[in-house]
Protein backbone atom coordinates (compact mmCIF):
# COMPACT_ATOMS: atom_id res chain seq x y z
CA UNK A 1 0.00 0.00 0.00
CA UNK A 2 1.55 3.30 -1.07
CA UNK A 3 0.77 6.11 1.32
CA UNK A 4 1.27 9.81 0.69
CA UNK A 5 1.84 11.45 4.08
CA UNK A 6 1.68 15.14 4.99
CA UNK A 7 3.08 16.72 8.18
CA UNK A 8 2.70 20.40 9.17
CA UNK A 9 2.45 20.27 12.95
CA UNK A 10 5.21 22.77 13.68
CA UNK A 11 7.77 24.58 11.54
CA UNK A 12 8.63 21.97 8.93
CA UNK A 13 6.52 21.50 5.80
CA UNK A 14 6.83 17.79 5.01
CA UNK A 15 5.49 15.23 2.55
CA UNK A 16 6.58 11.66 1.89
CA UNK A 17 5.60 8.52 0.07
CA UNK A 18 6.08 5.24 1.92
CA UNK A 19 5.19 1.63 1.41
CA UNK A 20 5.21 -0.27 4.70
CA UNK A 21 8.49 0.77 6.33
CA UNK A 22 10.16 1.53 3.00
CA UNK A 23 10.61 5.19 2.24
CA UNK A 24 10.02 6.03 -1.41
CA UNK A 25 10.50 9.76 -0.84
CA UNK A 26 10.79 12.09 2.13
CA UNK A 27 10.76 15.86 1.57
CA UNK A 28 11.32 18.20 4.52
CA UNK A 29 11.29 21.95 4.17
CA UNK A 30 12.43 23.73 7.31
CA UNK A 31 11.14 27.23 8.03
CA UNK A 32 13.76 27.82 10.69
CA UNK A 33 15.19 30.94 9.00
CA UNK A 34 11.78 32.63 9.28
CA UNK A 35 11.51 32.00 13.03
CA UNK A 36 15.14 32.48 14.06
CA UNK A 37 14.95 36.19 14.83
CA UNK A 38 11.99 35.59 17.18
CA UNK A 39 13.82 32.91 19.17
CA UNK A 40 10.91 30.47 18.74
CA UNK A 41 8.23 29.33 16.31
CA UNK A 42 5.66 32.04 15.49
CA UNK A 43 2.38 30.20 14.69
CA UNK A 44 1.03 32.75 12.19
CA UNK A 45 4.32 32.80 10.26
CA UNK A 46 4.40 28.98 10.29
CA UNK A 47 0.88 28.79 8.91
CA UNK A 48 1.60 31.18 6.06
CA UNK A 49 4.86 29.42 5.18
CA UNK A 50 3.13 25.99 5.15
CA UNK A 51 0.40 27.42 2.94
CA UNK A 52 2.94 28.83 0.48
CA UNK A 53 4.94 25.63 0.11
CA UNK A 54 2.74 22.66 0.73
CA UNK A 55 1.66 22.01 -2.86
CA UNK A 56 5.26 22.17 -4.07
CA UNK A 57 6.43 19.82 -1.30
CA UNK A 58 3.66 17.29 -2.06
CA UNK A 59 4.48 17.42 -5.79
CA UNK A 60 8.16 16.88 -5.04
CA UNK A 61 7.40 13.90 -2.76
CA UNK A 62 5.39 12.27 -5.56
CA UNK A 63 8.08 13.06 -8.13
CA UNK A 64 10.94 11.73 -5.93
CA UNK A 65 9.02 8.50 -5.30
CA UNK A 66 9.02 7.84 -9.10
CA UNK A 67 5.33 7.00 -8.92
CA UNK A 68 2.35 8.91 -10.21
CA UNK A 69 -0.22 10.51 -7.96
CA UNK A 70 -2.74 7.93 -9.29
CA UNK A 71 -0.59 5.14 -7.79
CA UNK A 72 -1.23 6.40 -4.25
CA UNK A 73 -3.53 4.10 -2.22
CA UNK A 74 -4.18 6.37 0.79
CA UNK A 75 -3.43 9.85 2.13
CA UNK A 76 -2.15 10.30 5.69
CA UNK A 77 -1.86 13.47 7.72
CA UNK A 78 -0.76 14.56 11.18
CA UNK A 79 -3.88 15.60 13.09
CA UNK A 80 -2.01 16.50 16.31
CA UNK A 81 -0.45 17.30 18.68
CA UNK A 82 1.02 20.54 17.40
CA UNK A 83 0.23 24.14 16.54
CA UNK A 84 -3.47 24.36 15.68
CA UNK A 85 -3.18 26.77 12.76
CA UNK A 86 -0.21 24.88 11.32
CA UNK A 87 -1.91 21.45 11.61
CA UNK A 88 -4.93 22.89 9.87
CA UNK A 89 -2.99 23.54 6.64
CA UNK A 90 -1.85 19.93 6.27
CA UNK A 91 -5.26 18.53 7.18
CA UNK A 92 -7.08 20.69 4.64
CA UNK A 93 -4.68 19.76 1.83
CA UNK A 94 -4.74 16.06 2.72
CA UNK A 95 -8.54 16.06 2.79
CA UNK A 96 -8.74 17.74 -0.63
CA UNK A 97 -6.22 15.31 -2.08
CA UNK A 98 -7.98 12.23 -0.70
CA UNK A 99 -11.25 13.50 -2.11
CA UNK A 100 -9.75 14.26 -5.52
CA UNK A 101 -8.08 10.84 -5.71
CA UNK A 102 -11.05 9.09 -4.11
CA UNK A 103 -8.72 7.40 -1.61
CA UNK A 104 -9.04 6.83 2.13
CA UNK A 105 -7.67 9.30 4.66
CA UNK A 106 -5.65 8.33 7.74
CA UNK A 107 -5.20 10.69 10.71
CA UNK A 108 -1.91 10.14 12.55
CA UNK A 109 -0.68 11.22 15.97
CA UNK A 110 2.64 13.05 15.59
CA UNK A 111 4.15 11.32 18.63
CA UNK A 112 3.23 7.90 17.24
CA UNK A 113 5.18 8.95 14.15
CA UNK A 114 8.28 9.66 16.30
CA UNK A 115 7.84 6.34 18.17
CA UNK A 116 7.64 4.34 14.94
CA UNK A 117 10.37 6.33 13.15
CA UNK A 118 12.86 3.68 14.30
CA UNK A 119 11.18 1.24 11.92
CA UNK A 120 12.06 3.21 8.81
CA UNK A 121 14.46 1.14 6.72
CA UNK A 122 16.48 0.45 9.80
CA UNK A 123 19.55 -1.59 9.02
CA UNK A 124 20.70 -1.45 12.67
CA UNK A 125 19.10 -4.87 13.21
CA UNK A 126 16.29 -6.60 11.33
CA UNK A 127 13.00 -4.96 12.31
CA UNK A 128 11.62 -8.35 13.31
CA UNK A 129 14.05 -8.15 16.26
CA UNK A 130 11.88 -5.52 17.93
CA UNK A 131 9.95 -7.21 20.67
CA UNK A 132 7.03 -5.90 22.66
CA UNK A 133 6.27 -4.59 25.16
CA UNK A 134 8.74 -1.82 24.51
CA UNK A 135 9.34 1.57 26.06
CA UNK A 136 9.53 4.57 23.74
CA UNK A 137 11.35 7.78 24.60
CA UNK A 138 10.38 10.81 22.53
CA UNK A 139 12.62 13.83 23.02
CA UNK A 140 11.97 16.90 20.91
CA UNK A 141 11.46 20.64 21.10
CA UNK A 142 7.86 20.16 22.18
CA UNK A 143 7.83 16.77 23.92
CA UNK A 144 9.64 14.68 26.50
CA UNK A 145 7.62 11.54 27.02
CA UNK A 146 8.10 7.92 27.95
CA UNK A 147 5.49 5.69 26.38
CA UNK A 148 4.80 2.07 27.21
CA UNK A 149 4.22 0.33 23.88
CA UNK A 150 2.25 -2.83 24.48
CA UNK A 151 2.22 -3.37 20.73
CA UNK A 152 2.11 -1.12 17.69
CA UNK A 153 -1.07 0.93 18.10
CA UNK A 154 -1.45 0.36 21.85
CA UNK A 155 0.25 3.01 23.96
CA UNK A 156 0.28 4.42 27.47
CA UNK A 157 2.17 7.55 28.53
CA UNK A 158 4.10 6.59 31.68
CA UNK A 159 6.21 9.71 32.23
CA UNK A 160 6.18 13.21 30.81
CA UNK A 161 7.59 16.61 31.50
CA UNK A 162 6.02 18.83 34.13
CA UNK A 163 7.37 21.98 32.51
CA UNK A 164 9.77 22.34 29.56
CA UNK A 165 10.53 19.69 26.97
CA UNK A 166 14.19 18.64 26.83
CA UNK A 167 14.76 20.29 23.43
CA UNK A 168 13.11 23.47 24.67
CA UNK A 169 15.38 23.51 27.74
CA UNK A 170 18.50 22.95 25.61
CA UNK A 171 17.36 25.73 23.26
CA UNK A 172 16.86 28.12 26.19
CA UNK A 173 20.28 27.29 27.67
CA UNK A 174 21.84 27.84 24.25
CA UNK A 175 20.09 31.19 24.03
CA UNK A 176 21.45 32.24 27.45
CA UNK A 177 24.91 31.45 26.10
CA UNK A 178 24.30 33.44 22.91
CA UNK A 179 24.38 30.35 20.68
CA UNK A 180 21.34 31.21 18.51
CA UNK A 181 18.07 29.39 17.90
CA UNK A 182 17.36 26.49 17.88
CA UNK A 183 20.51 25.89 19.85
CA UNK A 184 20.48 22.15 20.71
CA UNK A 185 22.97 21.17 18.03
CA UNK A 186 25.30 24.14 18.72
CA UNK A 187 25.13 23.42 22.46
CA UNK A 188 26.21 19.84 21.72
CA UNK A 189 29.26 21.11 19.77
CA UNK A 190 30.28 23.51 22.50
CA UNK A 191 29.66 20.92 25.23
CA UNK A 192 32.09 18.54 23.53
CA UNK A 193 34.82 21.16 24.12
CA UNK A 194 33.93 21.88 27.74
CA UNK A 195 34.40 20.51 31.23
CA UNK A 196 30.95 19.44 32.47
CA UNK A 197 32.02 19.56 36.12
CA UNK A 198 33.65 22.99 36.09
CA UNK A 199 30.55 24.67 37.50
CA UNK A 200 28.01 23.30 39.87
CA UNK A 201 24.55 22.81 38.36
CA UNK A 202 21.87 20.75 40.13
CA UNK A 203 20.55 17.37 39.02
CA UNK A 204 16.80 17.98 38.54
CA UNK A 205 14.47 16.22 41.00
CA UNK A 206 17.44 14.44 42.52
CA UNK A 207 15.57 13.26 45.62
CA UNK A 208 12.15 12.78 44.06
CA UNK A 209 10.66 9.38 43.29
CA UNK A 210 8.13 10.85 40.87
CA UNK A 211 8.32 9.42 37.39
CA UNK A 212 8.29 12.74 35.56
CA UNK A 213 10.72 15.13 33.95
CA UNK A 214 11.40 18.71 34.94
CA UNK A 215 13.87 21.19 33.49
CA UNK A 216 12.74 24.52 34.92
CA UNK A 217 14.91 24.29 38.08
CA UNK A 218 18.02 23.50 36.04
CA UNK A 219 17.22 26.39 33.72
CA UNK A 220 16.88 28.84 36.62
CA UNK A 221 20.15 27.60 38.14
CA UNK A 222 21.88 28.13 34.79
CA UNK A 223 20.45 31.63 34.51
CA UNK A 224 21.71 32.57 38.00
CA UNK A 225 25.13 31.05 37.38
CA UNK A 226 25.58 32.98 34.14
CA UNK A 227 24.45 36.14 35.93
CA UNK A 228 27.06 35.64 38.66
CA UNK A 229 29.81 34.97 36.14
CA UNK A 230 28.85 38.10 34.20
CA UNK A 231 29.17 40.22 37.33
CA UNK A 232 32.77 39.08 37.59
CA UNK A 233 33.63 39.42 33.92
CA UNK A 234 31.06 41.08 31.71
CA UNK A 235 31.56 38.82 28.67
CA UNK A 236 31.73 35.07 29.10
CA UNK A 237 34.92 33.66 27.64
CA UNK A 238 34.73 30.97 24.94
CA UNK A 239 35.95 28.42 27.48
CA UNK A 240 33.30 29.48 29.99
CA UNK A 241 30.61 29.03 27.32
CA UNK A 242 31.95 25.55 26.54
CA UNK A 243 32.04 24.56 30.21
CA UNK A 244 28.55 25.89 30.88
CA UNK A 245 27.18 24.10 27.78
CA UNK A 246 28.80 20.86 28.93
CA UNK A 247 27.49 21.26 32.49
CA UNK A 248 23.93 21.97 31.41
CA UNK A 249 23.84 19.15 28.86
CA UNK A 250 25.33 16.70 31.36
CA UNK A 251 22.73 17.43 34.04
CA UNK A 252 19.85 17.48 31.52
CA UNK A 253 20.82 14.08 30.12
CA UNK A 254 21.61 12.62 33.54
CA UNK A 255 18.07 13.47 34.62
CA UNK A 256 16.63 12.02 31.41
CA UNK A 257 18.50 8.78 31.94
CA UNK A 258 17.66 8.49 35.63
CA UNK A 259 13.92 8.84 35.01
CA UNK A 260 14.06 6.54 31.98
CA UNK A 261 15.85 3.86 34.01
CA UNK A 262 13.41 4.19 36.92
CA UNK A 263 10.44 4.03 34.54
CA UNK A 264 11.81 0.92 32.86
CA UNK A 265 12.12 -0.75 36.25
CA UNK A 266 8.64 0.35 37.34
CA UNK A 267 6.79 -1.41 34.54
CA UNK A 268 4.81 -4.53 35.49
CA UNK A 269 6.26 -6.31 32.44
CA UNK A 270 9.85 -5.36 31.72
CA UNK A 271 10.04 -3.65 28.32
CA UNK A 272 12.20 -5.67 25.95
CA UNK A 273 13.29 -2.78 23.78
CA UNK A 274 13.80 0.93 24.07
CA UNK A 275 12.72 2.96 21.03
CA UNK A 276 14.11 6.49 20.89
CA UNK A 277 12.86 9.27 18.60
CA UNK A 278 12.59 13.06 18.23
CA UNK A 279 14.95 15.88 17.25
CA UNK A 280 17.10 15.74 20.41
CA UNK A 281 18.04 12.12 19.59
CA UNK A 282 20.23 13.65 16.87
CA UNK A 283 22.62 14.35 19.76
CA UNK A 284 25.46 11.79 19.58
CA UNK A 285 26.34 12.17 23.28
CA UNK A 286 22.73 11.47 24.24
CA UNK A 287 22.63 8.36 22.04
CA UNK A 288 25.87 7.16 23.60
CA UNK A 289 24.42 7.67 27.11
CA UNK A 290 21.12 5.98 26.26
CA UNK A 291 22.88 2.93 24.83
CA UNK A 292 24.07 2.27 28.38
CA UNK A 293 20.48 1.33 29.20
CA UNK A 294 20.55 -1.68 26.87
CA UNK A 295 21.52 -4.02 29.73
CA UNK A 296 18.43 -2.88 31.59
CA UNK A 297 16.03 -3.49 28.72
CA UNK A 298 17.46 -6.92 28.14
CA UNK A 299 17.18 -6.24 24.43
CA UNK A 300 18.16 -3.46 22.12
CA UNK A 301 18.03 0.28 22.13
CA UNK A 302 16.73 1.51 18.78
CA UNK A 303 17.34 4.84 17.12
CA UNK A 304 15.94 6.13 13.83
CA UNK A 305 18.27 6.26 10.91
CA UNK A 306 19.99 9.58 10.19
CA UNK A 307 17.63 12.26 8.93
CA UNK A 308 14.65 10.67 10.70
CA UNK A 309 15.16 12.18 14.18
CA UNK A 310 13.46 15.49 13.55
CA UNK A 311 10.03 16.10 12.11
CA UNK A 312 9.34 14.41 8.77
CA UNK A 313 6.38 12.92 6.94
CA UNK A 314 7.90 9.45 6.34
CA UNK A 315 7.36 8.58 10.02
CA UNK A 316 3.72 9.71 9.67
CA UNK A 317 3.33 7.46 6.62
CA UNK A 318 4.81 4.49 8.48
CA UNK A 319 2.43 4.94 11.42
CA UNK A 320 -0.42 5.34 8.91
CA UNK A 321 0.47 2.02 7.25
CA UNK A 322 -0.09 0.19 10.55
CA UNK A 323 -3.35 2.07 11.11
CA UNK A 324 -4.53 1.06 7.64
CA UNK A 325 -3.77 -2.59 8.46
CA UNK A 326 -6.04 -2.22 11.48
CA UNK A 327 -8.71 -0.56 9.35
CA UNK A 328 -8.40 2.74 11.21
CA UNK A 329 -9.38 5.26 8.57
CA UNK A 330 -10.65 8.76 9.27
CA UNK A 331 -13.97 10.17 8.22
CA UNK A 332 -13.00 13.16 6.02
CA UNK A 333 -16.05 15.07 7.27
CA UNK A 334 -15.06 14.58 10.90
CA UNK A 335 -11.27 14.90 10.89
CA UNK A 336 -10.13 18.02 12.64
CA UNK A 337 -6.94 19.35 14.17
CA UNK A 338 -6.22 18.03 17.66
CA UNK A 339 -3.52 20.33 19.08
CA UNK A 340 -3.34 18.42 22.38
CA UNK A 341 -3.99 14.87 21.17
CA UNK A 342 -2.24 12.42 23.52
CA UNK A 343 -0.87 9.25 21.98
CA UNK A 344 -2.88 7.17 24.45
CA UNK A 345 -6.17 8.91 23.68
CA UNK A 346 -8.62 7.81 21.05
CA UNK A 347 -9.28 10.48 18.45
CA UNK A 348 -12.17 12.65 19.53
O1 LIG B 1 11.67 16.77 16.67
P1 LIG B 1 12.08 18.16 16.36
O2 LIG B 1 12.73 18.42 15.03
O3 LIG B 1 10.86 19.14 16.40
C1 LIG B 1 9.90 19.09 17.38
O4 LIG B 1 8.89 18.34 17.19
O5 LIG B 1 10.08 19.80 18.39
O6 LIG B 1 13.04 18.65 17.54
C2 LIG B 1 13.65 19.91 17.57
C3 LIG B 1 14.51 20.02 18.80
C4 LIG B 1 15.05 21.42 19.04
O7 LIG B 1 14.86 21.74 20.41
C5 LIG B 1 16.54 21.28 18.73
O8 LIG B 1 17.37 22.17 19.45
C6 LIG B 1 16.79 19.84 19.13
O9 LIG B 1 15.66 19.15 18.68
N1 LIG B 1 18.02 19.30 18.52
C7 LIG B 1 19.09 18.91 19.25
C8 LIG B 1 20.08 18.50 18.32
N2 LIG B 1 19.58 18.66 17.07
C9 LIG B 1 18.30 19.15 17.22
N3 LIG B 1 19.28 18.87 20.58
C10 LIG B 1 20.47 18.41 21.01
N4 LIG B 1 21.47 18.02 20.19
C11 LIG B 1 21.33 18.04 18.86
N5 LIG B 1 22.32 17.63 18.07
ZN1 LIG C 1 8.22 16.24 16.43
Amino acid sequence: MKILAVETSCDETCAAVVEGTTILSNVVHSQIDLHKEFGGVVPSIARRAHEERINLIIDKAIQDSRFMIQDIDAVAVTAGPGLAIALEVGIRHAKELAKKLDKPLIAVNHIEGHVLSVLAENDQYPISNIQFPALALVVSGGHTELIYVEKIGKYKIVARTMDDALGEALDKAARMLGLGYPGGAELEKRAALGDAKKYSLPLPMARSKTLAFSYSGLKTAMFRLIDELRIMNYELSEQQVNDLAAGFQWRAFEHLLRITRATLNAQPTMPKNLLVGGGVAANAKLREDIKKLSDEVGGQVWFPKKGMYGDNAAMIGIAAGFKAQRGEFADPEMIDRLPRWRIDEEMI
Side-chain angles (χ1 to χ4, degrees):
M1 184 182 214
K2 286 180 197 63
I3 297 179
L4 169 68
V6 175
E7 149 70 47
T8 63
S9 68
C10 191
D11 61 342
E12 266 108 15
T13 314
C14 318
V17 179
V18 305
E19 188 160 27
T21 55
T22 303
I23 301 171
L24 303 172
S25 64
N26 192 15
V27 185
V28 177
H29 179 264
S30 171
Q31 309 170 353
I32 211 69
D33 288 341
L34 301 176
H35 301 286
K36 239 180 194 140
E37 62 176 295
F38 302 100
V41 178
V42 183
S44 57
I45 295 178
R47 185 194 61 82
R48 195 172 345 114
H50 284 312
E51 202 70 80
E52 278 168 13
R53 289 249 163 197
I54 186 138
N55 284 327
L56 278 171
I57 300 294
I58 292 175
D59 288 349
K60 178 143 175 46
I62 299 285
Q63 206 177 36
D64 287 2
S65 77
R66 297 176 185 271
F67 284 93
M68 309 283 283
I69 188 95
Q70 295 81 1
D71 299 321
I72 297 299
D73 301 301
V75 180
V77 64
T78 306
L83 298 172
I85 59 173
L87 288 164
E88 193 266 329
V89 179
I91 293 173
R92 185 164 23 84
H93 281 80
K95 260 193 211 177
E96 281 165 12
L97 209 59
K99 193 169 171 202
K100 197 170 93 189
L101 299 171
D102 193 22
K103 298 292 176 191
L105 193 61
I106 306 163
V108 176
N109 181 294
H110 180 81
I111 301 301
E112 184 176 18
H114 277 305
V115 170
L116 300 182
S117 64
V118 299
L119 301 177
E121 294 175 350
N122 203 323
D123 53 10
Q124 192 183 354
Y125 317 102
I127 285 166
S128 55
N129 275 9
I130 295 194
Q131 290 172 290
F132 296 98
L135 192 73
L137 170 63
V138 176
V139 273
S140 70
H143 300 271
T144 304
E145 281 176 12
L146 281 165
I147 300 144
Y148 185 77
V149 185
E150 197 179 312
K151 59 180 182 181
I152 293 175
K154 196 144 196 312
Y155 309 100
K156 184 167 179 265
I157 297 175
V158 283
R160 59 195 323 211
T161 180
M162 299 191 293
D163 37 63
D164 285 1
L166 174 57
E168 193 181 356
L170 295 171
D171 288 345
K172 284 179 183 160
R175 197 168 171 194
M176 290 181 217
L177 295 173
L179 301 178
Y181 170 84
E186 191 55 29
L187 196 83
E188 177 184 17
K189 279 191 210 145
R190 302 298 293 256
L193 305 170
D195 172 3
K197 298 187 181 163
K198 173 85 185 174
Y199 300 106
S200 157
L201 283 163
L203 173 65
M205 295 167 70
R207 277 180 287 278
S208 165
K209 289 204 171 6
T210 311
L211 295 181
F213 302 103
S214 170
Y215 289 102
S216 64
L218 178 59
K219 220 175 49 187
T220 309
M222 176 80 158
F223 186 79
R224 292 219 178 101
L225 178 56
I226 293 175
D227 222 32
E228 278 168 27
L229 292 169
R230 285 219 171 107
I231 290 171
M232 287 187 277
N233 55 328
Y234 186 67
E235 282 283 338
L236 295 177
S237 71
E238 292 298 303
Q239 192 54 47
Q240 278 178 320
V241 170
N242 297 346
D243 293 340
L244 286 162
F248 189 90
Q249 192 182 263
W250 169 50
R251 287 307 207 184
F253 291 176
E254 194 186 12
H255 172 53
L256 188 81
L257 254 76
R258 191 180 78 82
I259 301 299
T260 304
R261 184 175 279 125
T263 305
L264 276 167
N265 288 315
Q267 300 314 306
T269 310
M270 189 63 174
K272 295 190 168 74
N273 290 91
L274 183 62
L275 319 177
V276 186
V280 185
N283 188 296
K285 175 73 174 72
L286 179 66
R287 293 205 302 280
E288 197 183 291
D289 287 352
I290 291 178
K291 276 187 200 148
K292 291 178 195 147
L293 293 175
S294 58
D295 289 345
E296 256 117 329
V297 286
Q300 309 278 9
V301 179
W302 291 71
F303 299 100
K305 68 173 191 167
K306 208 165 175 268
M308 292 283 293
Y309 300 116
D311 288 350
N312 65 85
M315 68 184 194
I316 302 303
I318 290 170
F322 289 102
K323 291 193 88 164
Q325 278 176 16
R326 300 194 297 271
E328 292 175 22
F329 296 99
D331 177 345
E333 300 304 319
M334 299 296 286
I335 174 175
D336 200 359
R337 63 203 186 173
L338 296 165
R340 297 184 174 278
W341 184 12
R342 283 172 59 121
I343 190 174
D344 51 6
E345 262 175 359
E346 289 294 314
M347 267 187 83
I348 4 142

